[in-house]
Amino acid sequence: TTEIYTLSLHDALPIYDLAYVRVCVTDEEGRIVPDAAVRLKMTVEGDGILLASGNAAPDDMHSFRNPACTTWQGQCLAILQPGVKSGVMLLKVVAEGIPPVEMEIRIASVKYEP
């Protein structure tokens, strides 16, 4: 039988000028598929960059600076760094055989004064 998976993005929270986005492989009912090892390709458009990606697998020693990541236990994490001005970052995630997903993250510039 053929399994149909989708990708979902969770927990886009700007924390100290970074956005942490959990990317999950989910089934038809939105449940994380814990045994899914799916190769993902991530890109960021707009005023920001993909700072790092990773999956927390103890045996995966790939660079965190790589825009490609294989899910471990059905998940991986993308860390985005916004630019210096207000705008929008758009995270796009693609995987072979799974519909692509994207998430828009708004950036608000903050002026710091001593």
Side-chain angles (χ1 to χ4, degrees):
T1 175
T2 303
E3 297 291 336
I4 299 175
Y5 298 129
T6 58
L7 296 174
S8 61
L9 304 175
H10 300 278
D11 303 331
L13 302 172
I15 300 172
Y16 302 109
D17 295 333
L18 297 177
Y20 296 81
V21 181
R22 186 169 48 129
V23 182
C24 303
V25 179
T26 56
D27 64 17
E28 297 169 329
E29 297 181 19
R31 296 176 298 212
I32 295 173
V33 181
D35 60 347
V38 177
R39 186 80 171 155
L40 307 176
K41 173 88 167 89
M42 295 177 256
T43 58
V44 175
E45 295 177 3
D47 193 25
I49 61 168
L50 177 66
L51 190 60
S53 67
N55 61 13
D59 60 346
D60 186 347
M61 297 297 121
H62 290 93
S63 172
F64 294 117
R65 297 284 184 163
N66 192 340
C69 182
T70 300
T71 59
W72 182 62
Q73 296 185 345
Q75 305 176 65
C76 73
L77 182 69
I79 303 173
L80 286 66
Q81 181 177 28
V84 295
K85 58 185 179 190
S86 294
V88 173
M89 290 186 291
L90 181 66
L91 172 65
K92 294 183 177 185
V93 182
V94 296
E96 189 174 326
I98 299 175
V101 292
E102 36 183 71
M103 174 181 271
E104 187 176 276
I105 301 168
R106 297 193 182 282
I107 304 164
S109 65
V110 178
K111 183 177 180 181
Y112 294 100
E113 294 186 23

